[in-house]
Amino acid sequence: MPDLYSRMAPRVRELTAEVVARCAAEVPFYRELPRETLDGEVTPSVAAVFGLLLRSLREPDVLGPGELTRIIEWSARRAEERLPLPAAMTAYLIGAEVWWRALCATATPGELADAGSGLLGCLRAAVPAVALAHDQAAEDVRGEERRVRRALVSALFAGQPYQALAEAARIEVAPAYDVVVYVFEGGPRARLVQSALDAHAGTLVLADPDEGVALLPDRGTPELGCLAGRLTGDVGPVLLAAARATEPARIPAALEEARRVMEIVQRLGRPPGLYRFDDVLLEYQLARPGAGLDRLAAKLDPLAGHPHLVDTLRAFVNRGHNRRQTSLDLHIHRNTLDYRLQRVSLLTGLDLGVPAQARLLEAALTARDLL
């Protein structure tokens, strides 16, 4: 169709400008680009695609390996610049629509069918190549972003310089963080945990899934206390140990504190939930090895042959000495509970009715669990 080629050629510049204008008006990604980028990068790319469509009017097999390579290279470059694939596909469809309307206004009835077939043939060859190239390049970009984020997390955890890594990762390091160590039952997928953390914080959370550590920006909202419930609902039961870093330089110390809290919580078999240092302060001090810890634990040696009495004492302590709730938890009658607690006092020589002796029994139970 050499005649149609001659009539369409003068319109390429006009059609290119129309496509660029529509992309800037209709596609959010292009709308945010500065004018110099639209003129300096987007316009030449659109003009090049129209050049291929123009050549297809006189060269049926215009999209050979060489031209497809050029399209793939354009697409990969755009993906590296973080052009979303839906935006790229929309731009191609806008271009196809503009080109088709121009054909309808310019071609004769006898030319239109062949010109339309040529347009569809170009799209059929180009779109899969664009999608594949964009996907591969975007995966490379995502892989590099993950690598840089991991390096940033490692630097923050180790107290090393992080500013250059934060800039490379395009992440603004918060002025303060809650350093959270987490342990899930069942080992859920790291991506699921990351998504739940991001949803809670409302932003990308820096985390090390291998170590089970996350940095949640301390911005006051949402409350960290809601995190355990959210993660339990989205992922599964979770133990959380948290410590606050008032500045990035304090992250290593906060991480060490959170890890100590998690160690104590796991050794004591605490139920899922969020724990801070103040929640296990007494237990942490009791956990210090030495003769005092051994002597405390030995207070319960008389109960060694009576595991049901130890379990009853533990339930009673966990319920804050609430007899009614303890009997419900253990599924026993109140009288049975009273009998068992009396046996504990008789065997150990420590009366639960005397506050000082009751505190000693609680400490002995903690020491026993820690050992």
Side-chain angles (χ1 to χ4, degrees), residues 15-27 35 38 42-43 94:
L15 299 177
T16 298
E18 181 181 349
V19 170
V20 173
R22 282 191 56 185
C23 285
E26 300 173 21
V27 184
R35 187 72 245 178
L38 291 171
V42 177
T43 296
I94 289 174

Side-chain angles (χ1 to χ4, degrees), residues 30 45 49 52 63 67-80 83-93 121-139:
Y30 290 104
S45 296
V49 173
L52 291 174
L63 278 183
E67 298 299 345
L68 280 176
T69 299
R70 289 180 60 194
I71 290 176
I72 289 171
E73 194 273 331
W74 294 337
S75 301
R77 194 184 312 154
R78 296 290 85 81
E80 290 168 357
L83 167 65
L85 181 57
M89 292 292 99
T90 300
Y92 267 88
L93 293 175
C122 286
L123 286 175
R124 187 170 59 247
V127 167
V130 168
L132 179 61
H134 194 285
D135 220 27
Q136 290 175 339
E139 182 57 38

